[in-house]
Amino acid sequence: MIFWIIVGIIAGWLAGKLIRGEGFGLIGDLVLGLLGGLVGGWIFGALGIPGPSGMIGAIVVATIGAVILVWISHVIREV
């Protein structure tokens, strides 16, 4: 559980930096990272790509998912 929280915060923060240039705050980063982990894991699984292992691998997968979520939210807001 602690592992997921740490990965979620780091991934959410990274996604905020990559897409917006700033984070979303501690809770926002955590939620974004945790949801990003689910999205990233689903995408990797659907494409048949084995996800990288360990903490760094989890951060990479969660960050990719979080970036996709941020991008989708930007697209929805612009419509």
Side-chain angles (χ1 to χ4, degrees):
M1 183 78 157
I2 298 293
F3 175 78
W4 292 342
I5 292 171
I6 292 169
V7 168
I9 290 170
I10 293 170
W13 178 82
L14 282 171
K17 291 290 186 189
L18 291 170
I19 298 294
R20 288 186 32 200
E22 59 187 64
F24 295 95
L26 183 63
I27 301 299
D29 287 347
L30 172 61
V31 170
L32 182 62
L34 291 174
L35 292 175
L38 293 173
V39 170
W42 179 80
I43 289 171
F44 272 61
L47 295 174
I49 301 170
S53 61
M55 184 166 200
I56 299 298
I59 291 170
V60 168
V61 170
T63 300
I64 290 169
V67 165
I68 291 169
L69 288 176
V70 171
W71 178 76
I72 289 171
S73 74
H74 285 304
V75 169
I76 289 172
R77 269 192 247 151
E78 291 179 9
V79 172

